[in-house]
Amino acid sequence: LQDGSEIRRPGVVHRLDRDTSGVLVLAKTQEAHEFLKETFHTREAKKTYLAFAYGVPKERNGTIDLSIGRSRQDFRLRSAQPKAKGTLREAITQYEVIADNGTHSLMKIYPQTGRTHQIRIHLTEIGHPLCGEKVYRQRLFKPALVDKSGAPRLALHAAELGFVHPATGEEMRFSMPLPVDLQKFLARLRK
């Protein structure tokens, strides 16, 4: 910084998976970073994702409450299986089906916790993996679902993010429309 002080942990407050598009939060100061990290940790930040999934859930609105740990097959991956390695951490995802074409669904996803790959794992565990998903496509004791959707990438978009501003205390809400590749994918699914 110009005054000679150093930010110990500037920048990204939370992460998105590599192929996920959307809103991301960056902090400019150490104080803002610490405040925003705590906001995410205490679940005060409100996140809304748009997700294109295989199939149509029986319930149009639901809550997925499956703890997540490390995969037994690959230490780099996560799992919601009962015998996942390490400490299982609480993971809760709410969803709402907003459109479907009979074979695929467009959902609003409201993660209540922020575990790595949470949305991807949870949707697969209820039998509706994300379109374009290459890693999490198999439920316990079930064959892996083949993705025939033609999605250009992982069809997950961080559409909205809300939190209290660290300096002013003002309620902030940011949104980002679907990017062009997912807009085209949506148009193709509508046909």
Side-chain angles (χ1 to χ4, degrees):
L1 294 176
Q2 291 178 351
D3 66 1
S5 63
E6 187 176 320
I7 299 174
R8 293 184 304 274
R9 187 131 192 249
V12 178
V13 174
H14 74 106
R15 298 187 187 324
L16 297 176
D17 290 345
R18 179 181 308 221
D19 286 341
T20 301
S21 55
V23 181
L24 191 63
V25 178
L26 303 173
K28 290 172 66 174
T29 67
Q30 180 66 29
E31 294 77 22
H33 190 274
E34 289 171 10
F35 177 87
L36 290 168
K37 278 299 243 191
E38 183 64 17
T39 297
F40 278 84
H41 180 74
T42 58
R43 304 177 188 172
E44 295 171 52
K46 302 300 177 208
K47 302 173 272 187
T48 303
Y49 288 76
L50 291 174
F52 295 88
Y54 171 80
V56 182
K58 289 177 187 158
E59 295 182 29
R60 303 290 288 185
N61 296 291
T63 300
I64 307 164
D65 186 352
L66 294 169
S67 296
I68 294 176
R70 291 221 178 255
S71 167
R72 287 196 171 279
Q73 284 77 31
D74 186 335
F75 73 93
R76 296 169 294 183
L77 302 179
R78 303 296 189 272
S79 174
Q81 304 301 335
K83 293 187 177 186
K85 288 171 62 175
T87 303
L88 291 176
R89 298 179 71 192
E90 177 186 43
I92 301 170
T93 304
Q94 294 177 328
Y95 69 88
E96 171 189 1
V97 177
I98 57 174
D100 75 81
N101 67 2
T103 59
H104 296 85
S105 302
L106 174 58
M107 299 184 208
K108 281 191 175 180
I109 307 289
Y110 310 99
Q112 304 303 299
T113 53
R115 306 294 173 231
T116 301
H117 302 164
Q118 175 177 320
I119 296 168
R120 297 167 65 184
I121 293 166
H122 275 176
L123 289 180
T124 296
E125 287 300 322
I126 65 166
H128 302 287
L130 287 167
C131 296
E133 177 64 69
K134 292 177 175 36
V135 178
Y136 299 104
R137 298 217 47 91
Q138 186 170 9
R139 293 170 34 191
L140 187 63
F141 307 122
K142 303 276 185 182
L145 293 167
V146 177
D147 182 13
K148 297 178 184 175
S149 68
R153 61 176 169 85
L154 185 66
L156 184 61
H157 176 71
E160 293 182 10
L161 183 60
F163 55 86
V164 173
H165 191 282
T168 67
E170 179 185 354
E171 287 282 336
M172 306 295 292
R173 190 154 217 52
F174 301 92
S175 63
M176 180 176 240
L178 276 176
V180 173
D181 63 342
L182 291 183
Q183 287 179 27
K184 289 179 181 176
F185 181 60
L186 176 59
R188 210 168 62 235
L189 289 178
R190 284 185 171 149
K191 291 179 182 176

